[in-house]
PDB file of all heavy atoms in Angstrom:
ATOM      1  N   ALA F  34       0.306  13.430  20.154  1.00 96.00           N
ATOM      2  CA  ALA F  34      -0.499  13.508  21.374  1.00 96.00           C
ATOM      3  C   ALA F  34      -0.197  14.774  22.177  1.00 96.00           C
ATOM      4  O   ALA F  34      -1.073  15.316  22.836  1.00 96.00           O
ATOM      5  CB  ALA F  34      -0.281  12.271  22.245  1.00 96.00           C
ATOM      6  N   SER F  35       1.054  15.239  22.108  1.00 96.00           N
ATOM      7  CA  SER F  35       1.428  16.396  22.931  1.00 96.00           C
ATOM      8  C   SER F  35       2.281  17.378  22.135  1.00 96.00           C
ATOM      9  O   SER F  35       2.890  17.028  21.116  1.00 96.00           O
ATOM     10  CB  SER F  35       2.214  15.938  24.163  1.00 96.00           C
ATOM     11  OG  SER F  35       3.506  15.505  23.781  1.00 96.00           O
ATOM     12  N   GLU F  36       2.338  18.599  22.642  1.00 96.00           N
ATOM     13  CA  GLU F  36       3.173  19.631  22.035  1.00 96.00           C
ATOM     14  C   GLU F  36       4.646  19.233  22.086  1.00 96.00           C
ATOM     15  O   GLU F  36       5.398  19.477  21.146  1.00 96.00           O
ATOM     16  CB  GLU F  36       2.945  20.960  22.759  1.00 96.00           C
ATOM     17  CG  GLU F  36       3.671  22.123  22.133  1.00 96.00           C
ATOM     18  CD  GLU F  36       3.301  23.461  22.759  1.00 96.00           C
ATOM     19  OE1 GLU F  36       2.472  23.487  23.688  1.00 96.00           O
ATOM     20  OE2 GLU F  36       3.860  24.472  22.311  1.00 96.00           O
ATOM     21  N   GLU F  37       5.049  18.606  23.184  1.00 97.00           N
ATOM     22  CA  GLU F  37       6.449  18.200  23.333  1.00 97.00           C
ATOM     23  C   GLU F  37       6.859  17.217  22.233  1.00 97.00           C
ATOM     24  O   GLU F  37       7.954  17.317  21.678  1.00 97.00           O
ATOM     25  CB  GLU F  37       6.693  17.568  24.714  1.00 97.00           C
ATOM     26  CG  GLU F  37       6.551  18.524  25.888  1.00 97.00           C
ATOM     27  CD  GLU F  37       5.099  18.861  26.245  1.00 97.00           C
ATOM     28  OE1 GLU F  37       4.192  18.082  25.903  1.00 97.00           O
ATOM     29  OE2 GLU F  37       4.879  19.923  26.842  1.00 97.00           O
ATOM     30  N   GLU F  38       5.977  16.261  21.925  1.00 97.00           N
ATOM     31  CA  GLU F  38       6.297  15.273  20.891  1.00 97.00           C
ATOM     32  C   GLU F  38       6.362  15.927  19.509  1.00 97.00           C
ATOM     33  O   GLU F  38       7.276  15.658  18.733  1.00 97.00           O
ATOM     34  CB  GLU F  38       5.263  14.143  20.907  1.00 97.00           C
ATOM     35  CG  GLU F  38       5.383  13.294  22.161  1.00 97.00           C
ATOM     36  CD  GLU F  38       4.173  12.419  22.413  1.00 97.00           C
ATOM     37  OE1 GLU F  38       3.033  12.863  22.180  1.00 97.00           O
ATOM     38  OE2 GLU F  38       4.389  11.277  22.847  1.00 97.00           O
ATOM     39  N   ALA F  39       5.411  16.814  19.221  1.00 97.00           N
ATOM     40  CA  ALA F  39       5.418  17.519  17.937  1.00 97.00           C
ATOM     41  C   ALA F  39       6.671  18.381  17.813  1.00 97.00           C
ATOM     42  O   ALA F  39       7.321  18.405  16.759  1.00 97.00           O
ATOM     43  CB  ALA F  39       4.162  18.376  17.801  1.00 97.00           C
ATOM     44  N   ASP F  40       7.029  19.079  18.891  1.00 97.00           N
ATOM     45  CA  ASP F  40       8.217  19.937  18.875  1.00 97.00           C
ATOM     46  C   ASP F  40       9.494  19.125  18.700  1.00 97.00           C
ATOM     47  O   ASP F  40      10.427  19.566  18.020  1.00 97.00           O
ATOM     48  CB  ASP F  40       8.300  20.773  20.143  1.00 97.00           C
ATOM     49  CG  ASP F  40       7.269  21.897  20.178  1.00 97.00           C
ATOM     50  OD1 ASP F  40       6.658  22.198  19.127  1.00 97.00           O
ATOM     51  OD2 ASP F  40       7.066  22.462  21.270  1.00 97.00           O
ATOM     52  N   LEU F  41       9.551  17.938  19.298  1.00 97.00           N
ATOM     53  CA  LEU F  41      10.732  17.076  19.162  1.00 97.00           C
ATOM     54  C   LEU F  41      10.969  16.728  17.692  1.00 97.00           C
ATOM     55  O   LEU F  41      12.089  16.869  17.178  1.00 97.00           O
ATOM     56  CB  LEU F  41      10.562  15.797  19.994  1.00 97.00           C
ATOM     57  CG  LEU F  41      11.667  14.761  19.825  1.00 97.00           C
ATOM     58  CD1 LEU F  41      12.956  15.247  20.469  1.00 97.00           C
ATOM     59  CD2 LEU F  41      11.243  13.437  20.424  1.00 97.00           C
ATOM     60  N   VAL F  42       9.924  16.309  17.004  1.00 98.00           N
ATOM     61  CA  VAL F  42      10.071  15.945  15.584  1.00 98.00           C
ATOM     62  C   VAL F  42      10.340  17.200  14.750  1.00 98.00           C
ATOM     63  O   VAL F  42      11.179  17.176  13.838  1.00 98.00           O
ATOM     64  CB  VAL F  42       8.833  15.156  15.094  1.00 98.00           C
ATOM     65  CG1 VAL F  42       8.947  14.856  13.604  1.00 98.00           C
ATOM     66  CG2 VAL F  42       8.683  13.858  15.886  1.00 98.00           C
ATOM     67  N   ALA F  43       9.681  18.309  15.067  1.00 98.00           N
ATOM     68  CA  ALA F  43       9.921  19.561  14.344  1.00 98.00           C
ATOM     69  C   ALA F  43      11.391  19.972  14.442  1.00 98.00           C
ATOM     70  O   ALA F  43      11.988  20.407  13.453  1.00 98.00           O
ATOM     71  CB  ALA F  43       9.015  20.661  14.879  1.00 98.00           C
ATOM     72  N   ARG F  44      11.972  19.824  15.633  1.00 97.00           N
ATOM     73  CA  ARG F  44      13.394  20.187  15.813  1.00 97.00           C
ATOM     74  C   ARG F  44      14.301  19.307  14.957  1.00 97.00           C
ATOM     75  O   ARG F  44      15.330  19.778  14.453  1.00 97.00           O
ATOM     76  CB  ARG F  44      13.781  20.103  17.287  1.00 97.00           C
ATOM     77  CG  ARG F  44      13.307  21.298  18.105  1.00 97.00           C
ATOM     78  CD  ARG F  44      13.951  21.366  19.485  1.00 97.00           C
ATOM     79  NE  ARG F  44      13.695  20.201  20.306  1.00 97.00           N
ATOM     80  CZ  ARG F  44      12.606  20.012  21.057  1.00 97.00           C
ATOM     81  NH1 ARG F  44      11.665  20.949  21.091  1.00 97.00           N
ATOM     82  NH2 ARG F  44      12.464  18.935  21.785  1.00 97.00           N
ATOM     83  N   GLN F  45      13.950  18.043  14.762  1.00 97.00           N
ATOM     84  CA  GLN F  45      14.753  17.166  13.901  1.00 97.00           C
ATOM     85  C   GLN F  45      14.757  17.705  12.468  1.00 97.00           C
ATOM     86  O   GLN F  45      15.787  17.704  11.792  1.00 97.00           O
ATOM     87  CB  GLN F  45      14.218  15.738  13.947  1.00 97.00           C
ATOM     88  CG  GLN F  45      14.405  15.076  15.293  1.00 97.00           C
ATOM     89  CD  GLN F  45      13.689  13.739  15.403  1.00 97.00           C
ATOM     90  OE1 GLN F  45      12.773  13.430  14.639  1.00 97.00           O
ATOM     91  NE2 GLN F  45      14.096  12.952  16.379  1.00 97.00           N
TER      92      GLN F  45
END
Side-chain angles (χ1 to χ4, degrees):
S35 72
E36 185 173 0
E37 293 76 22
E38 291 164 321
D40 287 347
L41 174 71
V42 176
R44 282 193 301 276
Q45 293 171 341

